[in-house]
Amino acid sequence: MPLGIFGFMALWSPFFILALVFITVVYFLVTVKWRTSFKESTPLTGKEAAYFLLAILLLYAIKGSPVEVMSTILFSAHMTQMALLYLVVTPLIILGIPNWVWKAIINLPVVKPVFKFMTKPLIALLSFNVVFSVYHIPLVFDHVRTDVTAHGLATVILFLLSVVMWWPLLNPADEDIDLEGLKRIGYILGSAVLLTPACGLIIFAENPLYAPYYDSEAFMKSLALCVPVDTLQGMSLTGPELFTSMSILNDQQLGGVIMKIIQEIVFGVMLFNLFFQWYRKDMEKQEKLSYDPVVDQTRTE
């Protein structure tokens, strides 16, 4: 059955496009036109703008396109969506917002004490991964995916906690966080390990875990979160089997595998970048020593 039955509004989310356009306009107004109104502001770099625009485009691709509807039909699409949102979009947004903007935000009296506590490496590491794992407990997941308020709240909380999780690694504007060398490697590996139990539960489960993907009533409630109710009226949909030949269990297992693979790729890139930075610093140090006149004089004597 084609997804076109859900209509243009559900599949392409024009209001979400407008919201993202508005956010993008505000971003450029603050970082370019109004920049001189802020202390210690610096010109927006091409790299920062590229990171932010890429994050906005990817955000629309996973939350405003047919992928959003597919995430209510296929658990694998849902896990792909979550992995990209919290492991790719979040760091792009952090890198895309200039340091002076971050400083202005985190130094607000209401934000500063909470942010300072939540971004302590151990707290940051545990908070996202624990909440993500709790989210995927079947009883919790079933409620969140069938209640509009709980779904919106869970999405916002997980996004904020993903910012907290990424902050100690990217750390664009906080001198108080000291996460260098082996600590950074430990942080990355720790995050990978903490997410493993949730993925393992999903991958090795012998039965379908989540009602919105096997129960017709829960399935329709889940669809109602992204498809207008008047569009759903009159439709006799029983479950995902109308849209895919994949079994519910196989789809569930695929979702767990996708989440883990994307996580490993992202953290693998982070580790590669870390080792590359070490290598470059070591080469610069050796190059400096080789051209140090004091060293050359000593060698001559």
Side-chain angles (χ1 to χ4, degrees), residues 82-182:
M82 294 199 79
L84 293 175
L85 178 59
Y86 302 127
L87 299 179
V88 180
V89 171
T90 300
L92 287 174
I93 288 178
I94 292 176
L95 294 172
I97 296 177
N99 293 356
W100 58 271
V101 177
W102 278 117
K103 288 181 179 180
I105 295 172
I106 64 179
N107 284 327
L108 291 172
V110 178
V111 176
K112 190 172 184 178
V114 177
F115 196 83
K116 186 176 181 63
F117 173 76
M118 292 300 298
T119 52
K120 292 181 182 296
L122 184 58
I123 301 296
L125 184 65
L126 290 173
S127 58
F128 173 79
N129 288 290
V130 169
V131 173
F132 182 87
S133 297
V134 170
Y135 173 92
H136 285 94
I137 294 174
L139 184 64
V140 176
F141 185 93
D142 292 350
H143 176 66
V144 169
R145 295 294 297 182
T146 55
D147 182 270
V148 62
T149 302
H151 182 258
L153 189 60
T155 301
V156 171
I157 289 174
L158 279 169
F159 178 77
L160 292 176
L161 291 179
S162 70
V163 172
V164 166
M165 179 191 71
W166 279 105
W167 191 264
L169 284 174
L170 303 177
N171 189 16
D174 193 345
E175 295 82 3
D176 294 334
I177 297 178
D178 180 22
L179 195 66
E180 298 294 338
L182 293 177

Side-chain angles (χ1 to χ4, degrees), residues 289-301:
L289 288 174
S290 65
Y291 289 100
D292 191 329
V294 176
V295 175
D296 290 343
Q297 185 178 359
T298 303
R299 289 174 178 173
T300 303
E301 295 175 353

Side-chain angles (χ1 to χ4, degrees), residues 24-39:
T24 304
V25 170
V26 171
Y27 170 82
F28 282 106
L29 285 175
V30 171
T31 57
V32 179
K33 187 174 182 178
W34 300 336
R35 178 179 63 82
T36 55
S37 302
F38 295 84
K39 295 180 180 179

Side-chain angles (χ1 to χ4, degrees), residues 5 32 39 78 86 126 153 178 193 196 247 260 274 293:
I5 63 171
V32 179
K39 295 180 180 179
H78 161 73
Y86 302 127
L126 290 173
L153 189 60
D178 180 22
V193 170
T196 299
S247 71
K260 194 59 183 173
L274 179 60

Side-chain angles (χ1 to χ4, degrees), residues 148-290:
V148 62
T149 302
H151 182 258
L153 189 60
T155 301
V156 171
I157 289 174
L158 279 169
F159 178 77
L160 292 176
L161 291 179
S162 70
V163 172
V164 166
M165 179 191 71
W166 279 105
W167 191 264
L169 284 174
L170 303 177
N171 189 16
D174 193 345
E175 295 82 3
D176 294 334
I177 297 178
D178 180 22
L179 195 66
E180 298 294 338
L182 293 177
K183 291 181 181 179
R184 293 175 70 86
I185 294 178
Y187 189 92
I188 294 171
L189 295 178
S191 185
V193 170
L194 286 172
L195 200 63
T196 299
C199 292
L201 171 68
I202 294 168
I203 294 170
F204 297 108
E206 297 181 355
N207 299 294
L209 298 174
Y210 306 113
Y213 298 100
Y214 66 78
D215 179 79
S216 58
E217 183 178 352
F219 175 69
M220 292 300 289
K221 286 183 179 180
S222 180
L223 272 177
L225 298 183
C226 58
V227 178
V229 176
D230 57 346
T231 302
L232 289 177
Q233 289 178 348
M235 290 186 180
S236 55
L237 304 177
T238 57
E241 68 276 0
L242 297 174
F243 301 88
T244 178
S245 59
M246 189 185 307
S247 71
I248 297 172
L249 183 58
N250 287 342
D251 174 52
Q252 178 178 287
Q253 293 168 337
L254 178 61
V257 170
I258 288 174
M259 181 70 195
K260 194 59 183 173
I261 288 176
I262 293 178
Q263 185 208 38
E264 296 297 334
I265 291 174
V266 171
F267 287 155
V269 170
M270 291 293 296
L271 286 172
F272 174 81
N273 184 58
L274 179 60
F275 284 116
F276 179 74
Q277 289 177 1
W278 286 352
Y279 173 77
R280 187 173 59 183
K281 288 180 180 179
D282 185 62
M283 292 299 292
E284 290 175 353
K285 184 178 179 180
Q286 291 182 15
E287 185 177 346
K288 182 179 179 181
L289 288 174
S290 65

